[in-house]
Amino acid sequence: MTWKLPRIGLISAAIFFVLDQFLKWMVVGPIGLQDGQERIVLPIFTLRNVHNYGVSLGFLRADSAASTWLLVGMTGAIAIAVLVWMWRERNRYDQFALGMIAGGALGNILDRVRLGYVQDYADLHFGAWSPFLNFNLADAAITVGVLILLARALLVRDKPRVDGADVEKSNA
């Protein structure tokens, strides 16, 4: 098996990682929101600075340095698995989705290593109803990347490849 550089995946990972870190910097830097402060952007969207010490839905809350590093190790192992999968993946759409996941995971890992928590800032709500917990671009990239992979796995059938050329199956 030959290894080919997954350019689409690596580029998407880099873009989502950089954008995630930039937006987090904007919230605490130029916008200047402290933990718990908020700013209404749209009637359905509020910037709300939240220090997230756990993972999705508040599970596995890291209340100590040891538990923080355990979360870093667990999410790091998952990120490595995603990167290995991306390296082996030949489909460009799947590489892009895996890059979204990797970039988001690396953005949140960097927060946890640097700050001891993940910086969340986005609150999507409809009146008093908020269908999501506060999140960030990294969380959104991970979620959308997983949804792309699921949709492609369930709904799309790629044509088989023979010697690098697409070949249509005939039902003769």
Side-chain angles (χ1 to χ4, degrees), residues 38-164:
E38 64 182 49
R39 180 169 299 162
I40 297 171
V41 177
L42 296 170
I44 63 167
F45 185 76
T46 302
L47 286 176
R48 180 174 291 119
N49 185 350
V50 174
H51 297 174
N52 180 357
Y53 291 92
V55 293
S56 294
L57 304 173
F59 293 118
L60 299 175
R61 187 169 168 82
D63 294 327
S64 68
S67 58
T68 297
W69 285 106
L70 181 63
L71 277 179
V72 168
M74 287 174 28
T75 53
I78 292 167
I80 289 169
V82 167
L83 289 168
V84 168
W85 180 4
M86 181 175 64
W87 219 273
R88 293 179 174 182
E89 183 60 55
R90 292 176 183 241
N91 184 286
R92 295 164 54 101
Y93 299 108
D94 290 347
Q95 284 180 12
F96 178 78
L98 290 163
M100 291 178 74
I101 296 166
L106 294 172
N108 283 344
I109 288 169
L110 180 61
D111 281 6
R112 221 174 274 289
V113 168
R114 249 180 0 104
L115 306 169
Y117 56 84
V118 173
Q119 182 71 50
D120 288 339
Y121 54 81
D123 179 21
L124 181 65
H125 55 84
F126 304 95
W129 181 61
S130 186
F132 309 106
L133 296 175
N134 279 24
F135 60 96
N136 57 43
L137 180 67
D139 299 332
I142 291 166
T143 301
V144 171
V146 168
L147 290 174
I148 290 170
L149 290 173
L150 284 173
R152 285 193 37 76
L154 296 172
L155 303 174
V156 177
R157 296 287 178 243
D158 292 330
K159 297 174 186 174
R161 296 176 62 92
V162 175
D163 295 328

Side-chain angles (χ1 to χ4, degrees), residues 26-39:
M26 287 291 295
V27 167
V28 298
I31 295 172
L33 294 180
Q34 301 300 313
D35 187 28
Q37 288 184 319
E38 64 182 49
R39 180 169 299 162

